[in-house]
Amino acid sequence: MASYNTSDFRKGLKVQIDGTPFSIIEMTFRKPGKGAALYECKLRNLLRNTIVDRTYRAGQTLEVADVTEFTAQYLYRQSDSFVFMNNDDYEQYELSEDQVGNFARFLKEGMDCQLMTFNDLPIAVTPPKHVVLQVEVAEPTAKGNTATNVQKPVKLETGAEIGAPPFINSGDWIRVDTRTGEYIERTTEPEEKS
Amino acid sequence: MSTDSRASAELLERVRGFFAARQFLEVSTPLIDAEMIPEAHIDPFEVPGLGYLRPSPEMHLKRLLCAGSGAIFEIGRCFRAGERGNLHQPEFTMVEWYRPGDDMRAGIELLDQLMQEVAGSPPAKKTSYAEAFEQTLGWNPHTWPLERLQQVAGESIADRDELLNVLLAKQVEPTLGSGPPEILYHYPASQSALATTTFHKTGIEVAERFELYWKGVELANGYHELTDAGELRRRLVTANHQRVAGGRPALPLPEKLLAAMDNPGLPSCAGVALGFDRLLMLSVGADSIGQVMEGNNARR
């Protein structure tokens, strides 16, 4: 099994501990007195998304994790799972609702996401930062009530409900922040990609 | 040019003034040599055909002391492979000095004076290695059994010194020098490096080695220097054995220094190495030495 030596440790490195994939998200090099160097690492568990602190001494090794990230488009939902396809080799991957997380409500067929696999099995998907979606239902706003700091609920084509300004109407296209689930701006219909 | 350049120049000037006032001679020794003082955990850069870039000026400064230089100091670049972090860069500036006649107490006093005069620090607190552990962790590092050390460290490391180092770095160091600088002294004899050892009144053998910490940063390491060439050779051979056991190459011994220590001999003295970039970092309030090193941005 391939491994990394402490001198290879750096931010972003994907390693495995007891069969679980981790990503080094922070690394502090310390060398007390005349002693061996210490590598204090913060590692993100790529399966549970939790963070652990571990200290390694110079010369220790960690196994390489076969973690791959690539662009995949969302194809469709199949009962409890979500099906994505690698845009390069058309390989398909199924992710559970848990793996997709909160973002599921903004998923639209054909949307490009970043998929992460560990030993060829999908473990996580990262949505684009912003997505453009059509408003399916927006209640008309009473005339005169145009204060921009007031929001009203709108329902999007994917079924998600979010808050939007009063001037948004059914059929409008809006940009949404996938991380916060908040409305960003009104925009135009995105061009079909070839 | 940054404002740090001016702070750096002024700090250098104060360091030189401090030593000039005490009749130290400033010297400038070679950066490259075929011989060196091997250490278990320091990796030098090799210069093909010539030897190594110096990890410290110690070998040449001690040869000068043997030749009768009297009190000397050097401010110069040193190089250590694989060291990079907030407090480490592969290339850094060391201030190193030696004064014949000084024992550990005198060495500590001189370091304390330098910090007060050059860095404007309050008088240093002096704490023995044992006291520092006792205050922070509640037990004596010289006498605690290995299994207990492993328990508190949460590590299965079998080497006692390595365990103590991990505990020092993670639990004791962060508490050191939070007010005035703090000088730790009387390290375990097994961590004496190039210091003489002595028997503590409790009967425990300790090293006459000291380190200065300020604001949680290790700034200087000092020894009441070992003058016995035979004992030095034995320790350096051990360091090389540790290197090989840890998968690192053995390094050539400082034969010219060892010969000079045999005859005419190294005068009894205390010596200290201080990381100049770290002192500058603390005096301008930077977070890393990389920030205060001229032209370093391009290589980070």
Side-chain angles (χ1 to χ4, degrees):
Chain A
M1 184 67 78
S3 59
Y4 293 116
N5 193 280
T6 40
S7 54
D8 303 319
F9 285 13
R10 62 179 186 280
K11 224 161 143 174
L13 205 67
K14 307 289 190 298
V15 299
Q16 53 175 319
I17 304 169
D18 302 330
T20 302
F22 286 84
S23 173
I24 298 181
I25 54 172
E26 242 181 79
M27 205 271 290
T28 308
F29 176 89
R30 295 188 61 184
K31 202 151 183 274
K34 294 281 168 190
L38 301 176
Y39 297 77
E40 292 175 352
C41 299
K42 264 195 202 311
L43 299 134
R44 184 189 301 282
N45 181 324
L46 295 175
L47 298 183
R48 296 162 180 270
N49 211 26
T50 50
I51 291 170
V52 295
D53 292 302
R54 290 281 179 96
T55 301
Y56 297 94
R57 283 167 293 119
Q60 286 188 303
T61 56
L62 279 176
E63 271 178 46
V64 172
D66 178 15
V67 171
T68 316
E69 284 173 282
F70 50 86
T71 306
Q73 64 169 289
Y74 172 59
L75 293 183
Y76 53 87
R77 182 171 181 153
Q78 184 179 286
S79 61
D80 284 341
S81 61
F82 296 76
V83 181
F84 291 82
M85 179 182 74
N86 183 332
N87 287 1
D88 291 330
D89 62 11
Y90 310 116
E91 192 73 34
Q92 293 189 12
Y93 298 90
E94 272 185 45
L95 281 92
S96 69
E97 207 162 345
D98 272 357
Q99 288 174 318
V100 176
N102 247 343
F103 167 65
R105 61 198 181 119
F106 298 122
L107 269 181
K108 184 183 168 183
E109 285 166 20
M111 193 177 274
D112 277 345
C113 298
Q114 287 302 113
L115 200 73
M116 188 187 280
T117 61
F118 172 52
N119 295 336
D120 277 332
L121 295 171
I123 54 172
V125 62
T126 313
K129 278 187 184 128
H130 306 146
V131 294
V132 174
L133 294 169
Q134 193 171 24
V135 177
E136 201 171 84
V137 186
E139 296 298 331
T141 311
K143 250 206 157 102
N145 187 5
T146 53
T148 48
N149 57 344
V150 177
Q151 291 211 325
K152 62 178 185 184
V154 299
K155 190 175 172 194
L156 305 177
E157 57 178 317
T158 58
E161 285 196 17
I162 68 164
F167 58 80
I168 295 298
N169 299 310
S170 302
D172 281 354
W173 292 85
I174 62 170
R175 197 182 304 279
V176 178
D177 183 320
T178 55
R179 198 170 42 84
T180 61
E182 282 170 0
Y183 165 93
I184 299 172
E185 61 178 358
R186 182 160 60 179
T187 179
T188 54
E189 180 177 357
E191 283 173 35
E192 279 299 311
K193 57 176 181 182
S194 51
Chain B
M1 201 183 91
S2 64
T3 48
D4 291 346
S5 304
R6 186 158 301 282
S8 170
E10 286 170 4
L11 194 61
L12 275 173
E13 205 176 306
R14 288 202 295 277
V15 170
R16 292 203 160 92
F18 176 85
F19 287 117
R22 288 163 179 79
Q23 285 80 49
F24 277 68
L25 186 70
E26 179 166 7
V27 296
S28 180
T29 62
L31 266 60
I32 302 175
D33 204 290
E35 298 184 350
M36 64 181 315
I37 297 176
E39 290 199 36
H41 301 295
I42 293 179
D43 289 321
F45 287 103
E46 205 170 338
V47 182
L50 290 174
Y52 302 89
L53 285 173
R54 65 177 183 189
S56 112
E58 184 163 7
M59 178 176 75
H60 279 286
L61 291 177
K62 283 185 173 167
R63 281 171 62 183
L64 287 174
L65 288 158
C66 290
S69 65
I72 46 174
F73 77 103
E74 176 163 6
I75 301 172
R77 288 284 162 127
C78 294
F79 306 86
R80 296 178 182 186
E83 303 198 356
R84 191 181 287 277
N86 284 351
L87 298 178
H88 295 82
Q89 286 288 334
E91 171 180 351
F92 62 100
T93 299
M94 189 96 100
V95 182
E96 191 155 319
W97 64 89
Y98 294 86
R99 186 163 67 181
D102 280 0
D103 60 5
M104 186 180 77
R105 287 281 156 206
I108 288 175
E109 279 317 310
L110 187 64
L111 173 60
D112 187 6
Q113 281 170 25
L114 177 128
M115 288 299 292
Q116 292 181 46
E117 284 186 31
V118 168
S121 73
K125 192 172 151 190
K126 286 115 188 171
T127 311
S128 76
Y129 185 89
E131 283 164 0
F133 273 78
E134 277 160 2
Q135 283 161 16
T136 317
L137 300 167
W139 41 264
N140 185 307
H142 301 301
T143 55
W144 249 45
L146 185 71
E147 308 81 66
R148 304 294 293 278
L149 293 178
Q150 288 172 330
Q151 272 172 23
V152 270
E155 296 267 5
S156 55
I157 307 169
D159 185 293
R160 187 178 178 90
D161 288 312
E162 250 193 82
L163 266 177
L164 287 173
N165 255 319
V166 170
L167 286 163
L168 179 70
K170 301 193 75 169
Q171 311 206 29
V172 182
E173 269 185 13
T175 70
L176 296 175
S178 50
E182 194 160 354
I183 298 176
L184 232 57
Y185 63 93
H186 279 167
Y187 277 66
S190 50
Q191 295 178 31
S192 54
L194 271 62
T196 53
T197 58
T198 183
F199 283 90
H200 197 251
K201 55 180 180 292
T202 55
I204 292 164
E205 190 181 13
V206 289
E208 293 201 302
R209 172 180 158 204
F210 51 100
E211 293 227 17
L212 184 139
Y213 289 86
W214 199 19
K215 300 172 184 173
V217 176
E218 180 192 342
L219 275 181
N221 178 62
Y223 306 133
H224 178 205
E225 301 291 345
L226 176 70
T227 54
D228 180 339
E231 171 64 10
L232 178 59
R233 181 182 295 277
R234 196 188 60 75
R235 290 190 197 175
L236 299 184
V237 167
T238 304
N240 262 338
H241 281 316
Q242 285 176 307
R243 293 185 60 81
V244 172
R248 310 165 119 124
L251 295 166
L253 297 187
E255 294 298 345
K256 294 190 191 76
L257 169 63
L258 289 163
M261 282 173 68
D262 248 340
N263 179 30
L266 179 67
S268 172
C269 61
V272 176
L274 179 144
F276 180 79
D277 313 283
R278 292 186 185 178
L279 185 61
L280 181 60
M281 170 191 112
L282 290 185
S283 51
V284 301
D287 299 323
S288 74
I289 62 170
Q291 279 177 20
V292 296
M293 293 173 81
E294 211 55 68
N296 202 43
N297 297 331
R299 337 189 207 115
R300 237 176 297 179

